[in-house]
Amino acid sequence: MYLLDIIGFAAAAVLALLLTPLAKKFAYWVGAVDAPNYRKVHTRIMPRLGGLGIFIAFVGAYFVVSPALKEYDIRAALGLLVGGAVIVLVGALDDRFELSPKVKLLGQVIAACVVVAFGLRVDLVNIPFGDSWSIMGWLSIPVTILWIVGVTNAINLIDGLDGLSAGVSGIATATMLVMALMMGNVTVAILCAILLGSISGFLYYNFHPAKIFMGDSGALFLGFSLATLSILGFKQATVVSFLVPVLILGVPLSDTFFAIIRRWLNKMPISAADKSHLHHCLLQLGFSHRTTVLIIYGISFFFGICAIVLSQAATWGIIVLIAVILLIMELGAEAIGIISKSRKPLLHLIQKLRVGRLPKSRTSK
């Protein structure tokens, strides 16, 4: 299994390295370019459609290694390929013609339905202090579609800096690969290896200063793939199966969650765009473009390590780990002002406690 994973990764990386420059030329040719505006960091017209290079490299590498694969879930793999083709088509059309949100959402739902049609569903959840329980019958279908659409859009939301979405997705994919190898899940391991290779080859052209953007074609495909692989990899795990993929995707999901809370507090529509996402906040604190991306890579790596630890932890260890993670997230969110620049209840409480202790310490001296 390890040899095929290495071959799949290498084949995908080489194909992405070769195909991304062609995608760049194609983007200019069809006019799929991204012009600067007040919300964007780049200052010159950039080609989109980098996702085409990622997707074609993924498909090509899959067909390189699939003849040698044995005992893997071919239906799940085909569901990812067919559904991925749908989501890439929707993203590519949006890169060129800027589709309406409703049309994009419809395309995402169709892609998710393709995955469901191939038999992949969220049907098992393990919870602390209880037994596994199944989401039976028709209810598993909307839950699966909601998860796939939600993660797909979460990855798309963080695609705001050179190399950010690709790098974070790569770290999440690598985490899933490690866990799949630990569990002996052949299907998830080989698909993650191929996806990681595709991302790595593309990232060579996308890291700051980027030569091409992945566009919605890439961001939607990566989000769709991560959502699908997370269901395939952990729906039958013996740990808190819902929390593991949530942690692996901690950066995009938490950024999306904070954006919803922020807009609700400011009485803005949830779909309204703003410049208060995680990367915006770090830039406003004075960090450079490259440093901001590397910081978020570090946060994503932290979530990945926590997911691996969580998968091996006992019940009480899980409770403690989740509590610590939530505390760190809240402190970090308040420190950078991702929810509000003024509402920082936990930091204000800590400050009051510190101020309240100062007179006593002086008196004791």
Side-chain angles (χ1 to χ4, degrees), residues 39 150 153-161 164-165 168 246 249-263 270 272 274-282 296 299 303 329 333 336-339:
R39 289 192 61 250
N153 282 286
I155 295 295
N156 195 30
L157 280 177
I158 66 168
D159 187 26
L161 296 179
L164 180 56
S165 186
V168 168
V246 168
L249 300 166
V251 168
L253 291 181
S254 61
D255 191 41
T256 301
F257 172 76
F258 288 136
I260 293 172
I261 298 299
R262 179 175 65 249
R263 291 163 189 172
I270 292 178
D274 60 26
K275 294 194 70 172
S276 296
H277 287 284
L278 175 59
H279 56 279
H280 291 131
C281 292
L282 291 174
I296 299 177
I299 298 172
F303 277 119
M329 286 177 59
I336 67 174
I338 194 172
I339 298 177

Side-chain angles (χ1 to χ4, degrees), residues 272-354:
D274 60 26
K275 294 194 70 172
S276 296
H277 287 284
L278 175 59
H279 56 279
H280 291 131
C281 292
L282 291 174
L283 288 172
Q284 291 164 10
L285 288 175
F287 293 106
S288 68
H289 190 127
R290 185 184 294 262
T291 302
T292 296
V293 171
L294 292 176
I295 289 173
I296 299 177
Y297 283 3
I299 298 172
S300 186
F301 182 76
F302 166 76
F303 277 119
I305 294 297
C306 288
I308 294 174
V309 172
L310 180 69
S311 70
Q312 306 297 314
T315 301
W316 284 108
I318 292 171
I319 300 299
V320 173
L321 181 61
I322 294 300
V324 171
I325 291 172
L326 291 176
L327 178 62
I328 292 174
M329 286 177 59
E330 177 62 21
L331 288 172
E334 292 185 14
I336 67 174
I338 194 172
I339 298 177
S340 172
K341 303 300 182 184
S342 58
R343 298 179 184 178
K344 301 180 179 183
L346 194 55
L347 288 178
H348 289 161
L349 175 62
I350 294 173
Q351 186 178 10
K352 287 181 180 179
L353 291 175
R354 290 179 61 186

Side-chain angles (χ1 to χ4, degrees), residues 23 27 32-34 40 46-50 94-95 98 212-213 215:
V33 295
D34 195 350
K40 297 175 181 178
M46 292 290 294
R48 295 173 174 173
L49 293 180
D94 184 61
D95 287 337
E98 296 188 5
I212 184 173
F213 291 163

Side-chain angles (χ1 to χ4, degrees), residues 132-166:
S132 301
W133 56 279
S134 297
I135 302 173
M136 301 301 292
W138 64 269
L139 187 59
S140 65
I141 296 177
V143 170
T144 302
I145 293 173
L146 182 63
W147 171 255
I148 292 176
V149 172
V151 174
T152 298
N153 282 286
I155 295 295
N156 195 30
L157 280 177
I158 66 168
D159 187 26
L161 296 179
D162 296 353
L164 180 56
S165 186

Side-chain angles (χ1 to χ4, degrees), residues 19-353:
L19 292 170
T20 301
L22 298 179
K24 177 181 177 181
K25 293 181 179 179
F26 181 70
Y28 278 126
W29 183 59
V30 300
V33 295
D34 195 350
N37 63 33
Y38 76 99
R39 289 192 61 250
K40 297 175 181 178
V41 177
H42 63 281
T43 57
R44 58 190 176 90
I45 293 178
M46 292 290 294
R48 295 173 174 173
L49 293 180
L52 292 182
I54 298 174
F55 177 69
I56 298 174
F58 178 81
V59 174
Y62 170 78
F63 285 110
V64 168
V65 299
S66 59
L69 290 174
K70 297 178 181 179
E71 299 180 356
Y72 81 106
D73 192 342
I74 188 171
R75 281 175 57 84
L78 291 177
L80 178 57
L81 292 175
V82 177
V86 173
I87 205 76
V88 169
L89 176 61
V90 172
L93 290 174
D94 184 61
D95 287 337
R96 175 59 184 86
F97 300 107
E98 296 188 5
L99 304 177
S100 69
K102 291 182 180 179
V103 173
K104 288 172 62 177
L105 179 60
L106 176 62
Q108 294 166 21
V109 171
I110 292 173
C113 288
V114 169
V115 171
V116 172
F118 275 88
L120 184 59
R121 301 180 185 180
V122 175
D123 58 10
L124 182 65
V125 175
N126 295 295
I127 55 177
F129 308 112
D131 298 324
S132 301
W133 56 279
S134 297
I135 302 173
M136 301 301 292
W138 64 269
L139 187 59
S140 65
I141 296 177
V143 170
T144 302
I145 293 173
L146 182 63
W147 171 255
I148 292 176
V149 172
V151 174
T152 298
N153 282 286
I155 295 295
N156 195 30
L157 280 177
I158 66 168
D159 187 26
L161 296 179
D162 296 353
L164 180 56
S165 186
V168 168
S169 298
I171 294 170
T173 304
T175 304
M176 289 188 192
L177 173 58
V178 170
M179 297 188 67
L181 292 173
M182 291 169 58
M183 294 187 296
N185 192 323
V186 177
T187 305
V188 175
I190 191 65
L191 292 175
C192 283
I194 294 171
L195 183 62
L196 183 58
S198 303
I199 294 171
S200 300
F202 171 76
L203 195 55
Y204 176 79
Y205 301 99
N206 185 238
F207 195 72
H208 185 71
K211 300 177 179 64
I212 184 173
F213 291 163
M214 67 169 61
D216 275 19
S217 56
L220 295 181
F221 173 66
L222 291 182
F224 173 82
S225 299
L226 290 170
T228 303
L229 289 170
S230 68
I231 297 172
L232 180 61
F234 307 110
K235 68 174 183 176
Q236 293 179 342
T238 57
V239 296
V240 188
S241 57
F242 176 70
L243 295 178
V244 172
V246 168
L247 273 179
I248 291 173
L249 300 166
V251 168
L253 291 181
S254 61
D255 191 41
T256 301
F257 172 76
F258 288 136
I260 293 172
I261 298 299
R262 179 175 65 249
R263 291 163 189 172
W264 178 72
L265 289 175
N266 293 325
K267 298 181 180 180
M268 295 171 58
I270 292 178
S271 59
D274 60 26
K275 294 194 70 172
S276 296
H277 287 284
L278 175 59
H279 56 279
H280 291 131
C281 292
L282 291 174
L283 288 172
Q284 291 164 10
L285 288 175
F287 293 106
S288 68
H289 190 127
R290 185 184 294 262
T291 302
T292 296
V293 171
L294 292 176
I295 289 173
I296 299 177
Y297 283 3
I299 298 172
S300 186
F301 182 76
F302 166 76
F303 277 119
I305 294 297
C306 288
I308 294 174
V309 172
L310 180 69
S311 70
Q312 306 297 314
T315 301
W316 284 108
I318 292 171
I319 300 299
V320 173
L321 181 61
I322 294 300
V324 171
I325 291 172
L326 291 176
L327 178 62
I328 292 174
M329 286 177 59
E330 177 62 21
L331 288 172
E334 292 185 14
I336 67 174
I338 194 172
I339 298 177
S340 172
K341 303 300 182 184
S342 58
R343 298 179 184 178
K344 301 180 179 183
L346 194 55
L347 288 178
H348 289 161
L349 175 62
I350 294 173
Q351 186 178 10
K352 287 181 180 179
L353 291 175

